[in-house]
């Protein structure tokens, strides 16, 4: 009898433990969104940064078909006119180091505005200035400096607005800009050099970047 009573007590104890005495498991709150921007806004930012990354390599490639014409109009040798290509590429390679350092101090947005303002002014001046070789070299340096900022700022912008699981795809989209620039630049340059004057090359770059700035705003 004692054994039966003990078994009944154990069964009651198990029933009480299996009831509502166990603490309820609290559900975890949803994690905060990675970015404050909406999905459409993030896609728009990605598009703008990709387009901005297109301008620098485009400026280097679009210039090449017009070199014989420039050599004739500026009354310099082929070697000297090729110097304008070399200084552009040198500044385009070194300039992003300065833009990257400045971004740590003032953020990226002001640098985008300043760099593309420099790029637009340089292109407008190149399209309108008298044919002076020294001015061409200096303006090509300024043009390269203004267009190279995206080489160091663009990847950081993409990382800021894209969660890690989608970042590889977004980076591949962003890199389309710098890759398409050297591909399409000589095509556009050949069209302008053959159909119009070399000044339209720089006018086209200025208008293209100006339209991008208006869209960005």
């Amino acid at each position: 009898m004692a054994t039966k009573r003990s078994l009944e007590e154990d069964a009651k104890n198990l029933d009480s433990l299996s009831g509502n005495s166990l603490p309820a498991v609290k559900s975890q709150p949803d994690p905060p969104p990675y970015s404050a921007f909406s999905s459409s806004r993030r896609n728009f930012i990605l598009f703008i940064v990709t387009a901005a990354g297109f301008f620098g390599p485009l400026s280097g490639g679009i210039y090449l078909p017009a070199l014989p014409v420039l050599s004739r109009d500026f009354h310099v040798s082929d070697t000297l006119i090729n110097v304008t290509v070399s200084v552009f590429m040198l500044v385009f390679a070194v300039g992003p180091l300065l833009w990257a350092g400045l971004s740590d101090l003032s953020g990226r947005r002001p640098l985008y505005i300043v760099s593309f303002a420099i790029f637009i002014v340089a292109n407008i001046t190149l399209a309108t200035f008298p044919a002076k070789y020294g001015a061409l070299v200096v303006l090509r340096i300024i043009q390269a400096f203004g267009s190279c900022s995206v080489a160091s700022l663009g990847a950081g912008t993409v990382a800021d607005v894209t969660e890690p699981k989608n970042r590889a795809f977004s980076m591949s989209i962003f890199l389309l800009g710098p890759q398409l620039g050297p591909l399409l630049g000589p095509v556009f340059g050949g069209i302008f050099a053959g159909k119009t004057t070399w000044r339209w090359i720089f006018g086209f770059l200025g208008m293209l970047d100006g339209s991008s700035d208006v869209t960005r705003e």
Side-chain angles (χ1 to χ4, degrees), residues 53-71:
F54 173 70
F55 296 136
L58 176 69
S59 301
I62 198 173
Y63 184 75
L64 300 179
L67 289 178
V69 178
L70 289 166
S71 178

Side-chain angles (χ1 to χ4, degrees), residues 4 7 13 27-28 45 60 64 71 80 98 101 103 115 125 134-137 140 145 149 162 166 170 189 207 210 212:
K4 183 177 180 181
L7 291 174
N13 291 333
S27 60
Q28 295 295 327
I45 292 173
L64 300 179
S71 178
L80 287 178
L98 178 60
S103 68
S115 64
T125 308
L136 177 64
V137 174
R140 283 288 283 175
F145 184 68
S149 63
T162 309
N166 296 326
S170 297
M207 290 186 293
S212 174

Side-chain angles (χ1 to χ4, degrees), residues 11 16 104 129 150 186 205 212:
S16 63
D104 294 332
F129 80 113
V150 185
L205 291 173
S212 174

Side-chain angles (χ1 to χ4, degrees), residues 131-154:
K132 302 292 184 180
Y133 176 74
L136 177 64
V137 174
V138 172
L139 289 171
R140 283 288 283 175
I141 292 173
I142 297 173
Q143 182 193 39
F145 184 68
S147 65
C148 72
S149 63
V150 185
S152 59
L153 304 180

Side-chain angles (χ1 to χ4, degrees), residues 34 42 45 47 83 99 104 113 143 157 169-170 206 211-212:
Y34 183 82
R42 293 198 300 269
I45 292 173
F47 168 76
V83 169
W99 290 116
D104 294 332
I113 297 173
Q143 182 193 39
T157 302
F169 176 76
S170 297
S211 63
S212 174

Side-chain angles (χ1 to χ4, degrees), residues 60-74 76-86 136 140 189 193 198 201-202:
I62 198 173
Y63 184 75
L64 300 179
L67 289 178
V69 178
L70 289 166
S71 178
R72 184 189 67 232
D73 289 357
F74 283 83
V76 295
S77 65
D78 292 342
T79 301
L80 287 178
I81 207 67
N82 285 332
V83 169
T84 62
V85 179
S86 299
L136 177 64
R140 283 288 283 175
W198 57 267
I201 292 175
F202 303 112

